[in-house]
């Protein structure tokens, strides 16, 4: 029987936390074909909505290939409890810890932390907490939270240029620096979340080095990794990680809400993870 024929239906549930419930979707691997488990950590703010379609396609493909995949909506995001205005970086990291604990209780094999954009920062932060080895799958990773924050703040400027927000007063960056929340592109960003995000860095965790799969998309016909990415990857290689990095041609689907597909990205992910041999999960 084909892997597709053995695929199991995803299981939706709410994960209890100390600050409300988090919506989760678990894609179980076929019971007789388990290669590992994957925790997906989504990108920041509206990028979550933009990337849902491709992330779901990848989660299903990974499950069919033998991986148990857990997707979680973090505090104040998607269908989870709380408001985005209440979110902090530490609260999101705690959500990731709880999700990883649940996944380890319900799936076996090597652990992969899969982060998209700012989710890559959260994945590496989580890896620093772990006592077990893990692998990292990073899609279009943001190398610093400060970079992500600045991009988000620029949305306010763009909305003013387009006439969507003609309100006068302090700029969002000034409000945040003064300890006030700022409304940007339909999201209320708290000073606490801004500080936590700005302090995040994409750095090799101290846990035993594993596999790092780094995948980027470009609209160019002959894409190549950026010099900034190559510099970052050198740091990971020096830290002992087995790095597999690739630039692919495909839509920049995290930038617009639509019906984009990224089949090259999905297949490259499957190919990269297939190169890592399955092993027993830690007791």
């Amino acid at each position: 029987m084909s892997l597709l024929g053995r695929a199991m239906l995803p299981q939706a549930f709410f994960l209890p936390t100390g600050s409300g419930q988090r919506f989760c979707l678990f894609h179980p691997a076929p019971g007789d074909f388990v290669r590992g488990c994957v925790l997906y950590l989504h990108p920041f703010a509206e990028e979550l909505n933009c990337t849902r379609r491709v992330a779901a396609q990848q989660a299903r493909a990974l499950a069919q290939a033998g991986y148990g995949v857990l997707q979680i909506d973090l505090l104040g995001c998607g269908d989870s409890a709380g408001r985005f205005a209440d979110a902090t970086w530490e609260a999101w990291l705690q959500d990731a810890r709880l999700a990883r604990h649940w996944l380890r209780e319900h799936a076996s094999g090597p652990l992969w932390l899969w982060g998209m954009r700012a989710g890559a920062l959260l994945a590496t932060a989580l890896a620093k907490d772990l006592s077990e080895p893990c692998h990292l799958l990073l899609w279009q990773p943001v190398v610093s939270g400060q970079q992500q924050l600045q991009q988000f703040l620029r949305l306010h400027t763009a909305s003013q240029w387009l006439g969507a927000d003609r309100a006068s007063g302090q700029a969002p960056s000034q409000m945040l620096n003064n300890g006030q929340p700022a409304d940007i592109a339909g999201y209320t960003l708290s000073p606490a979340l801004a500080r936590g995000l700005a302090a995040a860095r994409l750095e090799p965790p101290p846990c035993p080095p594993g596999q790092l799969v780094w995948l980027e998309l470009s609209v160019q016909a002959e894409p190549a990794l950026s010099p900034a990415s190559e510099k970052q990857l050198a740091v990971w290689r020096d830290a002992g990680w087995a790095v597999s990095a690739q630039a692919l041609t495909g839509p920049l689907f995290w930038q617009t809400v639509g019906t984009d597909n990224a089949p090259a990205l999905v297949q490259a992910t499957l190919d990269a993870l297939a190169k890592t041999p399955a092993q027993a999960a830690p007791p």
Side-chain angles (χ1 to χ4, degrees):
M1 184 182 295
S2 69
L3 291 180
L4 182 60
R6 292 185 294 174
M8 301 175 67
L9 293 176
Q11 304 166 6
F13 66 96
F14 285 93
L15 180 68
T17 74
S19 56
Q21 295 185 324
R22 305 291 177 263
F23 177 77
C24 294
L25 193 62
F26 179 57
H27 304 260
D32 59 344
F33 188 79
V34 179
R35 291 192 58 86
C37 56
V38 181
L39 172 60
Y40 175 63
L41 298 171
H42 62 69
F44 186 75
E46 191 61 20
E47 289 186 359
L48 164 60
N49 295 323
C50 296
T51 55
R52 279 200 185 278
R53 178 184 175 89
V54 176
Q57 292 172 346
Q58 185 68 76
R60 291 193 295 267
L62 285 169
Q64 292 167 13
Y67 296 88
V69 183
L70 179 63
Q71 297 176 268
I72 180 173
D73 286 352
L74 303 169
L75 168 63
C77 300
D79 294 317
S80 286
R83 303 176 304 160
F84 191 86
D86 299 325
T88 66
W89 190 253
E90 179 54 37
W92 282 352
L93 183 55
Q94 180 60 18
D95 285 351
R97 295 186 187 109
L98 293 172
R100 174 260 171 190
H101 181 75
W102 186 96
L103 180 61
R104 265 304 183 208
E105 290 185 334
H106 294 83
S108 60
L111 172 65
W112 284 87
L113 303 179
W114 167 24
M116 170 79 189
R117 299 281 292 152
L121 296 171
L122 202 60
T124 54
L126 176 60
K128 294 177 182 178
D129 288 349
L130 301 183
S131 58
E132 66 167 306
C134 69
H135 306 302
L136 289 166
L137 167 61
L138 306 183
W139 276 11
Q140 208 73 29
V142 176
V143 298
S144 79
Q146 182 64 39
Q147 179 188 68
Q148 175 75 79
L149 179 60
Q150 291 302 319
Q151 290 176 355
F152 187 61
L153 292 176
R154 282 198 291 270
L155 294 177
H156 176 76
T157 303
S159 68
Q160 289 184 316
W161 275 102
L162 294 173
D165 184 1
R166 299 183 181 276
S168 60
Q170 289 183 316
S173 58
Q174 293 175 311
M175 297 178 67
L176 293 169
N177 290 336
N178 292 334
Q180 299 173 294
D183 292 327
I184 304 168
Y187 292 85
T188 300
L189 178 64
S190 71
L193 179 54
R195 287 193 301 270
L197 176 62
R201 299 288 185 274
L202 197 69
E203 299 173 339
C207 62
Q211 303 285 327
L212 169 62
V213 175
W214 178 300
L215 297 173
E216 297 181 1
L217 283 179
S218 170
V219 295
Q220 301 297 322
E222 298 182 3
L225 295 170
S226 69
S229 295
E230 293 285 12
K231 182 178 179 180
Q232 181 70 211
L233 290 167
V235 173
W236 287 78
R237 292 188 180 96
D238 290 343
W241 286 73
V243 174
S244 172
Q246 190 176 2
L248 306 160
T249 298
L252 310 185
F253 60 89
W254 59 93
Q255 295 182 354
T256 56
V257 178
T259 58
D260 285 333
N261 295 314
L265 179 62
V266 172
Q267 188 59 52
T269 298
L270 294 175
D271 293 344
L273 267 62
K275 297 176 183 177
T276 302
Q279 63 190 51

